[in-house]
Every structure is written in structure tokens, then in C-alpha cells.
């Protein structure tokens, strides 16, 4: 006689516990149940979202020990990545006319998140930025460094300047005795002579953006450097009424919520992981009653041969 039964489980090992009685012990085998697979998929998605959340919140800023985007060949410089959370998992990268590389890979000496170049060469000119060990870069931390092998440089801000600020440009010769006077240019157009060697742009705006350079008679001309202007943040209107008294609790609630958003995925992931890897054998009876449509699961074909007792 053959017995067919539908049980709500994946195909697993069946072990006969009593001869011909139709009673079996169904234990977890090599195959995982459909529920376990679904739970693992949820765990992986949750872990992926958590990694995106963490990577998107971490930023770093680039700190340098020089104030000009143009430097003479032979200058010693140090660049450092300072993370907003105080972590040290950042490194310095650059893109020059030769290649893209990391500090310590043929140039510079790396110490934690700092990079020191003892002697600048013209070929060290390029774009420098901070990048985390996971490969994400900080968009707000990049500078264009220009190394000149000539006798004149233009000292201009390393980072973009704020709209409305005053910006001073200085034309500097390698020999200090020849710093004065200087002619200044914007986008190749002459904009003025300064006997002091310094030109100040008052209350800069987007119209002041462009490529600037200078020249000193008898000494030469500097390379060009770009000046970028960023918009000033909109002023927040002062709160009225009882708003100031509630700003403290609202700020506290926001801070707590932000920490919960970061902490909860880790906590839930741990709970799911623990629950996934606790195998529990279960026991079920296979009866000879025909399967019904209300019984969910995967059909498992079980063949039972009844022994004839004489």
C-alpha cells in the first residue's frame, strides 16, 4: 500500500520511528525552509540599507598647512583628512596628469589620515581629495594644487570663497626683492596694476569667478588659478512666541531619533541572525488522510510499504 501526504515543509530527511505505523520524525536537514530563506533575504536587505545609511552620513574635510593654491617647487606641505565623527579611516588621493593614486604609492608619506610631501615637484600638480577606506569620497574636501617651477606665483585662496567676502590676491616672486609692482589678469584680460603687489576683490559674487594670474616685470608670469564663489547660506528668521522654549526639546528629540535610526538596524539584524541559526527539530505525524486545499506547503512524496502479518 502507498501513502501520499502534503506537509508544510521543504524536502527533508524522513526517519521511520515505528514499523508500518506511518509515524515519522521530520528533522531539519541540508535544505533550509522557505521561511528561513525569506528571513535571510530580509536580513541582507536590512544590512545593505544600514551600510548605505552609515556611508552617507560620514564626511571628512581636507585641512592643509598652506594658504595658496599655487606653490613653488621644493615646498614642503602636509594635507590631512579630518572626519566629522573623529574616525581615522580616511586617506589622501590625487589625480595628476600621470595617474590617479593614493598617498604612499610613489609619493608622500602617510601617517594615519595625514599625508606629507617633503619636496613638491611640478608633476605633483593636480586634484587632491579625501577618500574613506570603503571607497567613498568626501565631495566637500578637494583642492586643486598647482606647483610652479618658475619664478612667480599667484597666492589665491585654496578653497572656494563665500559670496560677499573680500578676497586678496598676492603676486609673489621667488626672490622677495622683486615682489613689487605686479599686473593682474582675469581670464586672460588685464584688470589692473598694483604697486603693492596685492589686489583685493571687494564683496565677491558669482561674476568674480574665473581664472586669475599675475606678472612681475623682469621676473615672469604666474600660472592661472581658478577662484570659485559659493552662495552664502540663507539666514534663518528668528523664532517668535514660545518657539525658543521648544527648540531645546525638539533638538533633543531629533538627536535621539537620529541615533535610533543608526542603532536600530544593527539591533534588528542581530536578532534576526540569532533566530536564523538556532535549528530546532520538529516532529509531525503523517496520516493517511487525503490532503486538503487549505494545507499550505510543498508536496513531499512518501512511500510506505505495509508489512503483511501472517
Amino acid at each position: 500500500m502507498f501513502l501520499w501526504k502534503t506537509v508544510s515543509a521543504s524536502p527533508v530527511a524522513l526517519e521511520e520511528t515505528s514499523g508500518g505505523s506511518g509515524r515519522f520524525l521530520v528533522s531539519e536537514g541540508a535544505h533550509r525552509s522557505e521561511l528561513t530563506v525569506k528571513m535571510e533575504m530580509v536580513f541582507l536587505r536590512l544590512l545593505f540599507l544600514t551600510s548605505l545609511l552609515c556611508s552617507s552620513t560620514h564626511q571628512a574635510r581636507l585641512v592643509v598647512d598652506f594658504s595658496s593654491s599655487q606653490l613653488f617647487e621644493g615646498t614642503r606641505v602636509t594635507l590631512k583628512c579630518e572626519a566629522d565623527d573623529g574616525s581615522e579611516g580616511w586617506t589622501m588621493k590625487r589625480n595628476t596628469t600621470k595617474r590617479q593614486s593614493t598617498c604612499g604609492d610613489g609619493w608622500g608619506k602617510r601617517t594615519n589620515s595625514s599625508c606629507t610631501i617633503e619636496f613638491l615637484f611640478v608633476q605633483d600638480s593636480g586634484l587632491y581629495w579625501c577618500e574613506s577606506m570603503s571607497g567613498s569620497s568626501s565631495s566637500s574636501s578637494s583642492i586643486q594644487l598647482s606647483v610652479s617651477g618658475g619664478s612667480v606665483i599667484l597666492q589665491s585662496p585654496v578653497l572656494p570663497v563665500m559670496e560677499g567676502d573680500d578676497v586678496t590676491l598676492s603676486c609673489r616672486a621667488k626672490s622677495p626683492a622683486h615682489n613689487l609692482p605686479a599686473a593682474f589678469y582675469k581670464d586672460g584680460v588685464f584688470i589692473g596694476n598694483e604697486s603693492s603687489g596685492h589686489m583685493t576683490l571687494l564683496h565677491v559674487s558669482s561674476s568674480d569667478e574665473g581664472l586669475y594670474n599675475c606678472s612681475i616685470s623682469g621676473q615672469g608670469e604666474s600660472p592661472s588659478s581658478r577662484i570659485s564663489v559659493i552662495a552664502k547660506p540663507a539666514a534663518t528668521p528668528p523664532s517668535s512666541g514660545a518657539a525658543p522654549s521648544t527648540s531645546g526639546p525638539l533638538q533633543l528629540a531629533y538627536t535621539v531619533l537620529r541615533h535610533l535610526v543608526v542603532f536600530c538596524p544593527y539591533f534588528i539584524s542581530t536578532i534576526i541572525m540569532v533566530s536564523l541559526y538556532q535549528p530546532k527539530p520538529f516532529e509531525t505525524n503523517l496520516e493517511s488522510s487525503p490532503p486538503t486545499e487549505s494545507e499550505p506547503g510543498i508536496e513531499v512524496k512518501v512511500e510506505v510499504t505495509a508489512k503483511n502479518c501472517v
Side-chain angles (χ1 to χ4, degrees):
M1 181 180 66
F2 295 91
L3 178 64
W4 304 84
K5 175 64 179 176
T6 301
V7 295
S8 57
S10 300
V12 293
L14 302 178
E15 180 182 354
E16 186 176 355
T17 57
S18 58
S21 65
R23 179 179 175 84
F24 292 82
L25 176 65
V26 183
S27 60
E28 291 186 346
H31 298 281
R32 293 171 295 182
S33 66
E34 184 179 358
L35 178 60
T36 302
V37 175
K38 289 182 177 180
M39 292 178 70
E40 288 184 351
M41 291 301 296
V42 171
F43 166 71
L44 292 176
R45 290 174 182 173
L46 187 60
L47 192 61
F48 175 72
L49 291 176
T50 303
S51 64
L52 287 181
L53 177 65
C54 293
S55 62
S56 62
T57 55
H58 294 321
Q59 290 292 322
R61 62 190 182 96
L62 180 56
V63 179
V64 297
D65 63 351
F66 50 92
S67 58
S68 175
S69 59
Q70 291 185 15
L71 297 171
F72 286 117
E73 191 174 40
T75 306
R76 180 185 185 274
V77 296
T78 298
L79 307 94
K80 183 178 181 181
C81 297
E82 289 188 353
D84 53 5
D85 60 352
S87 62
E88 292 290 338
W90 294 84
T91 186
M92 184 64 55
K93 299 200 72 171
R94 76 177 187 182
N95 190 10
T96 63
T97 54
K98 289 187 175 181
R99 63 187 179 111
Q100 179 176 310
S101 56
T102 306
C103 178
D105 182 15
W107 62 276
K109 180 181 179 182
R110 181 183 172 189
T111 305
N112 296 327
S113 295
S114 297
C115 182
T116 300
I117 304 177
E118 295 291 343
F119 191 101
L120 283 175
F121 293 95
V122 174
Q123 53 265 33
D124 289 317
S125 300
L127 182 67
Y128 290 73
W129 72 91
C130 294
E131 187 168 293
S132 68
M133 297 302 184
S134 60
S136 61
S137 60
S138 183
S139 58
S140 61
S141 299
S142 63
I143 62 168
Q144 185 72 38
L145 180 62
S146 176
V147 182
S148 174
S151 57
V152 178
I153 62 171
L154 174 67
Q155 293 183 323
S156 60
V158 179
L159 300 174
V161 295
M162 188 74 68
E163 185 179 19
D165 289 350
D166 296 340
V167 177
T168 298
L169 307 176
S170 298
C171 200
R172 180 186 168 194
K174 216 169 190 180
S175 174
H178 299 285
N179 281 343
L180 310 176
F184 292 86
Y185 304 83
K186 177 191 175 187
D187 297 326
V189 179
F190 173 75
I191 57 176
N193 277 313
E194 294 294 337
S195 58
S196 63
H198 306 287
M199 173 175 281
T200 300
L201 306 177
L202 300 175
H203 312 301
V204 294
S205 63
S206 58
S207 61
D208 293 309
E209 290 187 326
L211 291 173
Y212 289 78
N213 69 308
C214 68
S215 65
I216 297 177
S217 179
Q219 296 297 309
E221 189 172 340
S222 74
S224 296
S225 288
R226 174 169 295 277
I227 291 182
S228 300
V229 180
I230 57 177
K232 183 174 292 185
T236 305
S239 304
S240 59
S245 61
T246 59
S247 60
L250 287 178
Q251 181 65 27
L252 178 61
Y254 170 75
T255 303
V256 172
L257 180 62
R258 184 179 60 184
H259 283 80
L260 285 177
V261 167
V262 176
F263 171 74
C264 285
Y266 288 105
F267 179 75
I268 297 174
S269 302
T270 303
I271 297 299
I272 294 177
M273 182 180 292
V274 172
S275 63
L276 287 178
Y277 295 97
Q278 286 185 344
K280 297 179 180 179
F282 60 94
E283 188 175 355
T284 184
N285 290 327
L286 302 181
E287 300 176 356
S288 58
S289 59
T292 62
E293 295 183 357
S294 62
E295 293 179 337
I298 305 173
E299 282 193 352
V300 180
K301 184 177 179 181
V302 182
E303 181 178 342
V304 179
T305 304
K307 298 181 181 179
N308 295 327
C309 299
V310 182

